[in-house]
Every structure is written in C-alpha cells, then in structure tokens.
C-alpha cells in the first residue's frame, strides 16, 4: 500500500510548524510520520510524547516525528521500513528551500511507487506584502502548491487577507487558497480518502542552480538578559532579520526560560521549560540575508542585553 506524502513549504516564519503541530496533535487515528529540520521546532503537547530512539520521537497517538539529517530519500526509506509503517508522511521544508528541487527528488521512481507525493501545501503569512511575491523563492513556493494556507489571520489588519489573495491570483497560481487559523486546515484537503492508488508524477520545472541567500548567526550568553534591553536590541536588529528564535532567562523572571520568536516583523515571547543545567542562559539563532549583518555587529548589539552590563 503506498504511503502518501504531504509536502509543507513556505517562507521563513510563515507558520509551517504550527500546521505540522496541529496535524500531529489532531491525527484522528492516522499514523503520521513528520520529517522536520529539527525536533526543537516541533512543540507537541507533553501528553502526546511517548519516547525517542534512533532519531525518532514516538507520539502516544500513534504518530512519529523524525529529524531530517542528510539525504531526504534515505530518511524516507528508513520510515518506510518501520513496522508498522506510517499511513501518511508529512515533510516540512526549510523556509529558505526551493520546493521545486524537493519535488524533483520525490519523483525518484522507487519513492514514487512506495511514497507518492500527494499534496503540496504552501503556508503564507497573511500579512506578507504583495510585493514580496515577486521574489523568486516566494514564487517557486507558490507555483508548486496545490493548496495555499493563509496563516496568522488574527495578527493581520482587516484588509490583509484580500490583498494577499489578490496578489496570489495575480501570480496565476492554480492552488486553492484557504484560511488556516492557528494552523488548522481540513484534513480532507490534505490527505486522500483512500490510499490504494498513486497520483500521477508531477512536473517540477527546470533545475536551477542552488543559491546561497541566507546565513545563520548564533549568539549565546552565560548571564540572564534584561527584557527591556532585549526589546531595544531587537528593535535595532529587526530591519535586518528574516527570522530569529531562541531561549533565554531574564533578570525579571529568574529560574524560568522564555521562548523567543521573531518572524515577519513580529516578535513574541512565551513561557518555556525550566532551564537546563550546564547550558548557556541565553541561546538565540538569527537568520539574515547574506551580508546585511556581521557577527561583530550582532554581538555588539546583543551584549547590551546582558543584565550585569
């Protein structure tokens, strides 16, 4: 029996992980395997976690989650050898990945026979400026999509949905456009009613040379941060950031980690787990376009956040 694949694409911070989390937490008896870039991005409710071994997290609802390390086809082959094997596979791409290249890999005859690509879902922040759709990566993510899911509706202004829908239509995208409040998308749109047939192979478009467009800069501190100073620092960095996320302790709430996320010009904070002994008090990763922010400039700005400075 073939195992259908759902490919989830979308730009940095669009809300892909929220969609994958919702699918896994509301599997409704389906055995779903999620292939993601790192487990840290997945935030399944604690009661769903059953255990981890060999790079695979087993969930109490019958689903599993594994980290994408190395070759995608090798990862898929490993999943298909599991007993019992999953009924569906969800692949969450990197926010800077061209999904056309992943589609091309999934057209491998062996994978196509055993795990056919059923649906490509592009998650898009509703507040995305229409002009951003002229970007080559945005266009590629849209043009391979069967479904475009508009996320973060509650954070966008009243006319944002209409504007981005019109911009998507202007790109002549054949995909169905749906709202995805809090990552919720009707499962009937994503998974086939039956899995006893394989969909036709897709055209993935011409192969393009890979373009190194983004880089990742990391910053750590062994001291807790001042929340007020951090807000000032992020305000200075925001125009240069594509994405940021991290964990840190603050002097305002000692002994408690905060989860920091920055995407589409918006920063959020949420309570995290208790600090882990032996790791830095602050660990933040920043994703920026090449050349717009040096490590020295980042360090200088972030050092102002350390509480004892």
């Amino acid at each position: 029996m073939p195992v259908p694949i759902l490919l989830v694409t979308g730009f940095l911070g669009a809300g892909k992980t929220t969609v994958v989390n919702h699918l896994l937490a509301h599997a409704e008896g389906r055995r779903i395997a999620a292939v993601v870039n790192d487990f840290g991005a997945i935030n399944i409710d604690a009661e769903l976690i059953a255990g981890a071994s060999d790079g695979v997290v087993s969930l109490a609802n019958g689903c599993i989650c594994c980290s994408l390390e190395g070759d995608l086809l090798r990862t898929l082959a490993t999943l298909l050898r599991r007993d019992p094997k999953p009924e569906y596979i969800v692949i969450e791409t990197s926010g800077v990945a061209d999904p056309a290249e992943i589609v091309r890999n999934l057209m491998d005859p062996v994978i196509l026979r055993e795990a056919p690509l059923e649906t490509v879902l592009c998650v898009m922040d509703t507040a995305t400026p229409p002009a951003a759709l002229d970007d080559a990566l945005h266009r590629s993510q849209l043009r391979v999509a069967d479904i475009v899911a508009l996320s973060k509706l509650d954070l966008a202004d009243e006319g944002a949905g209409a504007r981005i829908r019109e911009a998507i239509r202007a790109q002549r995208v054949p995909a169905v456009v749906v709202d995805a409040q809090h990552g919720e998308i009707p499962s009937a749109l994503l998974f086939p009613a039956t899995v006893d047939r394989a969909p036709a192979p897709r055209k993935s478009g011409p192969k393009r040379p890979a373009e190194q467009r983004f880089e990742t800069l990391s910053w750590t501190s062994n001291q807790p941060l001042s929340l007020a100073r951090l807000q000032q620092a992020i305000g200075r960095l925001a125009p240069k950031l594509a994405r940021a996320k991290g964990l840190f302790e603050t002097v305002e709430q000692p002994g408690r980690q905060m989860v920091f996320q920055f995407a589409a010009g918006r920063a959020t904070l949420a309570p995290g787990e208790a600090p882990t002994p032996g790791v830095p008090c602050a660990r933040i990763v920043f994703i920026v376009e090449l050349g717009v922010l040096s490590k020295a400039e980042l360090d200088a700005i972030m050092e102002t956040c350390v509480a004892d400075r």
Side-chain angles (χ1 to χ4, degrees), residues 87-156:
E87 296 172 303
Y88 305 93
I89 296 173
V90 178
I91 301 173
E92 179 188 345
T93 72
S94 162
V96 298
D98 184 343
E101 186 62 24
I102 299 173
V103 170
R104 184 176 294 102
N105 286 333
L106 294 175
M107 291 302 103
D108 176 276
V110 175
I111 292 296
L112 190 63
R113 183 174 63 250
E114 296 191 46
L117 178 57
E118 177 72 30
T119 305
V120 180
L121 171 69
C122 177
V123 183
M124 178 164 288
D125 188 333
T126 302
T128 301
L133 272 56
D134 293 331
D135 177 85
L137 184 55
H138 272 297
R139 288 200 307 269
S140 182
Q141 291 171 344
L142 279 172
R143 288 176 179 173
V144 299
D146 303 301
I147 301 167
V148 177
L150 299 182
S151 65
K152 307 183 183 182
L153 295 146
D154 54 323
L155 302 177

Side-chain angles (χ1 to χ4, degrees), residues 254-266:
R256 179 183 184 184
Q257 284 192 123
M258 301 296 291
V259 180
F260 167 68
Q261 300 269 3
F262 178 92
R266 295 187 292 259

Side-chain angles (χ1 to χ4, degrees), residues 227-238:
L227 191 53
R229 295 182 196 174
L230 176 66
Q231 290 171 332
Q232 293 176 350
I234 297 303
R236 293 172 61 188
L237 290 169

Side-chain angles (χ1 to χ4, degrees), residues 11-305:
F11 202 66
L12 293 161
K16 299 182 296 298
T17 297
T18 301
V19 170
V20 174
N21 278 332
H22 191 277
L23 285 172
L24 293 178
H26 301 83
E28 299 174 350
R30 305 180 187 92
R31 288 195 309 276
I32 301 174
V35 182
V36 299
N37 290 318
D38 62 83
F39 289 137
I42 295 293
N43 184 30
I44 297 300
D45 292 338
E47 61 267 24
L48 288 178
I49 299 294
S53 64
D54 299 326
V56 176
V57 172
S58 297
L59 309 178
N61 63 355
C63 299
I64 62 173
C65 181
C66 68
S67 179
L68 177 54
E69 295 181 357
D71 183 70
L72 173 61
L73 300 187
R74 187 168 63 248
T75 300
L76 292 175
T78 299
L79 288 176
L80 292 170
R81 289 196 299 268
R82 290 182 65 87
D83 185 19
K85 72 179 181 180
E87 296 172 303
Y88 305 93
I89 296 173
V90 178
I91 301 173
E92 179 188 345
T93 72
S94 162
V96 298
D98 184 343
E101 186 62 24
I102 299 173
V103 170
R104 184 176 294 102
N105 286 333
L106 294 175
M107 291 302 103
D108 176 276
V110 175
I111 292 296
L112 190 63
R113 183 174 63 250
E114 296 191 46
L117 178 57
E118 177 72 30
T119 305
V120 180
L121 171 69
C122 177
V123 183
M124 178 164 288
D125 188 333
T126 302
T128 301
L133 272 56
D134 293 331
D135 177 85
L137 184 55
H138 272 297
R139 288 200 307 269
S140 182
Q141 291 171 344
L142 279 172
R143 288 176 179 173
V144 299
D146 303 301
I147 301 167
V148 177
L150 299 182
S151 65
K152 307 183 183 182
L153 295 146
D154 54 323
L155 302 177
D157 65 64
E158 187 174 344
R163 289 194 297 271
I164 197 62
R165 284 173 181 270
E166 180 59 35
I168 292 170
R169 281 195 294 270
Q171 293 287 334
R172 301 186 182 278
V173 174
V176 175
V177 182
V178 300
D179 292 344
Q181 186 77 304
H182 306 303
E184 184 174 358
I185 303 171
S187 59
L189 289 175
L190 305 178
F191 300 116
T194 60
V195 294
D196 58 355
R197 55 104 181 107
R202 294 168 178 254
K203 294 181 179 179
S204 55
K207 185 176 178 63
R208 292 188 292 271
E211 177 186 2
Q212 184 65 28
R213 179 176 165 187
F214 295 88
E215 62 179 328
T216 299
L217 303 175
S218 298
W219 182 82
T220 63
S221 172
N222 290 318
Q223 301 296 323
L225 308 185
S226 160
L227 191 53
R229 295 182 196 174
L230 176 66
Q231 290 171 332
Q232 293 176 350
I234 297 303
R236 293 172 61 188
L237 290 169
K240 299 182 178 183
L241 298 180
R243 184 82 162 89
K245 58 182 178 180
L247 295 166
F248 55 81
E249 295 179 58
T250 66
V251 290
E252 291 85 356
Q253 298 187 50
R256 179 183 184 184
Q257 284 192 123
M258 301 296 291
V259 180
F260 167 68
Q261 300 269 3
F262 178 92
R266 295 187 292 259
T268 61
L269 284 175
E273 302 294 330
T276 303
V279 302
C281 286
R283 293 161 287 154
I284 306 178
V285 174
F286 301 86
I287 301 176
V288 298
E289 293 211 35
L290 285 170
V292 304
L293 181 66
S294 69
K295 184 64 166 66
E297 181 184 0
L298 174 68
D299 289 347
I301 292 174
M302 290 304 299
E303 288 298 324
T304 65
C305 304

